């Protein structure tokens, strides 16, 4: 009997798929380069899936600034998809999909990703030779900001772009933030070791607003050259500026992630499958990390749970699923929750 129960548990866990998803009509394209149809086909399909996920977060989020950059990592939120149309025209692959996206909110994202990225583009006035400096890319990377749109942004700018040119190209870009750095040399010496003092004025924009302008002054020295001294000084200021922007202007959803040992007790259930489905949903949503059956009878099933949420927050998540599963929740507040299916 015990063996049969274990087999039943395994079958249910393997075969279960989440039905609680939202459906989106989505399109994706990709240009065929170097006659590589396979690569373009895969890219177009991926773009269609990511566009569906982007639609989802735009739908469920009132504050669009909280939405991180949608990368390939987010494909894990796709529960299933159906290809409605696929065709090739003018060396471009087109996909039309019907995509089922898991019901996930922006506030839940930290449970899935330790590092959420926001997309940024930047331009340096008076020091254009630093625009492609890998040291600057490393600075943005250190603060977990993506520069994936930077090359396209710079490519589309005219030579010696005006302020309006920068803002207009930003409006066309999918980047969430534009940073304009304006540099000034305050002082420099002509003797070894070279010393210099620079000023960096920073302006930060989203599509909807402009943040307060701020200034960073840095002093450096170098035995190599005056240009090296100035470059190091500006890089130091950029580092301070990006850190300030990340901490004060760029909002990411925050949640205190910790592992909590809890007990879920299920009573008045018709069959074990409804419990396993609920646990699987909680697991896939990363509300719980592990679950193990402690005891089981016809009247009661007790599970030891490792949750990423404290008991009060887990209760809130369980309430979101109440309508689908029709149960009552009793929270004893000491790490024990009873779920009563007699409702």
């Amino acid at each position: 009997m015990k063996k049969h129960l274990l087999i039943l548990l395994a079958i249910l866990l393997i075969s279960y798929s989440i039905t609680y998803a939202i459906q989106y009509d989505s399109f994706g394209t990709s240009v065929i380069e170097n006659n590589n149809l396979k690569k373009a086909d895969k890219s177009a399909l991926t773009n269609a899936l990511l566009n569906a996920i982007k639609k989802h977060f735009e739908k469920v989020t009132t504050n669009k600034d909280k939405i991180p950059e949608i990368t390939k990592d987010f494909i894990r939120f796709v529960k299933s998809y159906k290809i409605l149309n696929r065709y090739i025209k003018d060396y471009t692959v087109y996909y039309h999909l019907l995509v089922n996206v898991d019901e996930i909110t922006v506030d839940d994202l930290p449970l899935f990703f330790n590092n959420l990225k926001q997309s940024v583009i930047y331009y340096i006035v008076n020091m254009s030779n630093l625009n492609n400096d890998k040291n600057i890319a490393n600075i943005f990377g250190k603060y977990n900001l993506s520069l994936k749109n930077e090359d396209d942004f710079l490519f589309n700018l005219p030579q010696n772009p005006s302020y309006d040119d920068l803002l207009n190209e930003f409006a066309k870009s999918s980047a969430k933030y534009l940073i304009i750095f304006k540099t000034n040399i305050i002082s420099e010496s002509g003797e070894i070791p070279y010393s210099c003092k620079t000023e960096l004025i920073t302006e930060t924009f989203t599509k909807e607003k402009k943040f307060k302008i701020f200034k960073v002054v840095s002093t450096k020295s170098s035995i190599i050259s005056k240009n090296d001294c100035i470059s190091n000084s500006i890089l130091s200021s950029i580092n301070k500026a990006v850190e300030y922007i990340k901490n004060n202007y760029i909002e990411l959803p925050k949640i205190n992630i910790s592992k909590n040992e809890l007990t879920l007790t299920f009573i008045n259930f018709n069959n074990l499958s409804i419990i396993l489905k609920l646990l699987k949903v909680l697991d896939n949503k990363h509300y719980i990390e592990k679950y193990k059956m402690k005891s089981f009878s016809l009247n009661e099933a007790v599970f030891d749970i490792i949750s990423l949420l404290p008991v009060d927050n887990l209760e809130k998540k369980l309430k979101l699923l109440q309508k689908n599963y029709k149960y009552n929740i009793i929270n004893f507040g000491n790490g024990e929750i009873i779920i009563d299916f007699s409702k």
Side-chain angles (χ1 to χ4, degrees):
M1 180 70 181
K2 184 177 181 180
K3 183 178 180 182
H4 290 163
L5 178 60
L6 292 174
I7 293 173
L8 175 62
L9 287 173
I11 293 173
L12 287 170
L13 289 174
I14 292 172
S15 63
Y16 178 72
S17 62
I18 299 175
T19 58
Y20 303 102
I22 304 177
Q23 201 168 71
Y24 295 94
D25 197 54
S26 184
F27 296 85
T29 65
S30 182
V31 176
I32 302 171
E33 298 179 351
N34 300 321
N35 294 320
N36 193 337
L37 176 59
K38 185 176 180 181
K39 181 179 178 180
D41 186 85
K42 183 178 179 181
S43 179
L45 176 59
T46 298
N47 290 336
L49 295 174
L50 294 179
N51 284 336
I53 295 168
K54 183 178 179 182
K55 282 185 177 181
H56 173 69
F57 285 115
E58 289 174 347
K59 176 181 178 181
V60 301
T61 307
T62 55
N63 184 355
K64 300 299 184 286
D65 285 341
K66 289 183 68 177
I67 302 175
E69 181 179 359
I70 307 300
T71 66
K72 291 181 181 178
D73 287 334
F74 284 73
I75 288 180
R76 71 178 70 184
F77 296 142
V78 172
K79 310 318 299 177
S80 63
Y81 66 89
K82 180 181 180 181
I83 300 175
L84 300 179
N85 196 9
R86 175 196 175 275
Y87 62 94
I88 300 172
K89 182 179 180 181
D90 297 330
Y91 298 99
T92 302
V93 180
Y94 293 82
Y95 267 96
H96 180 194
L97 306 179
L98 200 59
V99 185
N100 290 311
V101 179
D102 188 16
E103 292 189 59
I104 189 76
T105 66
V106 170
D107 291 331
D108 293 322
L109 287 180
L111 300 175
F112 293 85
F113 304 103
N114 292 324
N115 298 305
L116 294 173
K117 292 190 175 183
Q118 297 285 43
S119 183
V120 176
I121 53 179
Y122 71 92
Y123 186 80
I124 302 179
V125 180
N126 302 333
M127 289 290 288
S128 59
N129 61 310
L130 280 178
N131 274 352
N132 294 315
D133 194 310
K134 65 179 182 181
N135 291 319
I136 297 180
N138 290 337
I139 289 173
F140 280 94
K142 181 171 70 172
Y143 296 105
N144 204 35
L145 299 173
S146 169
L147 293 175
K148 65 174 290 185
N149 299 293
E150 179 69 12
D151 289 342
D152 288 340
F153 171 66
L154 295 177
F155 179 79
N156 291 323
L157 288 175
Q159 190 172 6
N160 300 317
S162 66
Y163 199 84
D164 286 341
D165 290 329
L166 296 174
L167 295 178
N168 288 337
E169 284 304 320
F170 172 52
K172 300 174 188 176
S173 171
S174 59
K176 292 180 66 65
Y177 294 85
L178 166 66
I179 302 175
I180 300 176
F181 297 119
K182 297 179 181 178
T183 63
N184 294 306
I185 300 172
I186 298 175
S187 65
E188 57 182 318
S189 71
E191 299 179 357
I192 299 176
Y194 304 101
S195 63
C196 59
K197 187 176 184 180
T198 62
E199 176 185 76
L200 184 75
I201 300 171
T202 303
E203 297 179 79
T204 311
F205 303 82
T206 66
K207 298 294 198 306
E208 294 81 22
K209 66 186 291 187
K210 178 181 179 180
F211 294 93
K212 184 179 179 181
I213 299 174
F214 64 92
K215 179 173 64 176
V216 179
V217 176
S218 295
T219 302
K220 290 290 181 180
S221 63
S222 172
I223 60 172
I224 299 174
S225 67
K226 286 191 292 184
N227 285 339
D228 182 66
C229 180
I230 293 169
S231 177
N232 289 338
S233 182
I234 292 173
L235 286 173
S236 176
S237 294
I238 289 176
N239 181 75
K240 295 174 184 176
V242 173
E243 181 182 19
Y244 181 85
I245 291 168
K246 177 65 184 290
N247 292 334
N248 295 277
Y249 294 166
I250 295 181
E251 295 185 22
L252 288 175
K254 295 179 175 64
I255 189 169
N256 294 323
I257 300 177
S258 60
K259 294 186 179 181
N260 303 281
E261 295 183 3
L262 310 174
T263 300
L264 286 185
T265 301
F266 301 89
I267 59 175
N268 297 319
F269 50 88
N270 292 328
N271 54 68
L272 183 62
S273 64
I274 189 68
I275 296 174
L276 296 177
K277 287 180 180 181
L278 176 58
L279 288 171
K280 193 64 177 176
V281 169
L282 296 173
D283 186 23
N284 279 296
K285 288 180 176 293
H286 291 228
Y287 299 152
I288 62 176
E289 190 172 80
K290 293 180 181 179
Y291 54 92
K292 180 181 180 181
M293 182 181 287
K294 185 177 181 180
S295 64
F296 175 76
S297 69
L298 294 177
N299 300 317
E300 181 182 88
V302 181
F303 284 80
D304 287 330
I305 305 293
I306 302 295
S307 177
L308 298 175
L309 302 170
V311 63
D312 291 341
N313 288 354
L314 180 59
E315 181 188 12
K316 293 177 182 178
K317 299 301 182 184
L318 286 167
K319 286 181 178 178
L320 297 176
L321 301 170
Q322 236 174 339
K323 185 183 296 185
N324 297 327
Y325 288 90
K326 302 185 185 338
Y327 52 68
N328 294 306
I329 303 171
I330 305 172
N331 179 2
F332 285 96
N334 59 351
E336 183 178 359
I337 292 178
I338 292 180
I339 297 178
D340 182 2
F341 286 95
S342 63
K343 184 176 180 179

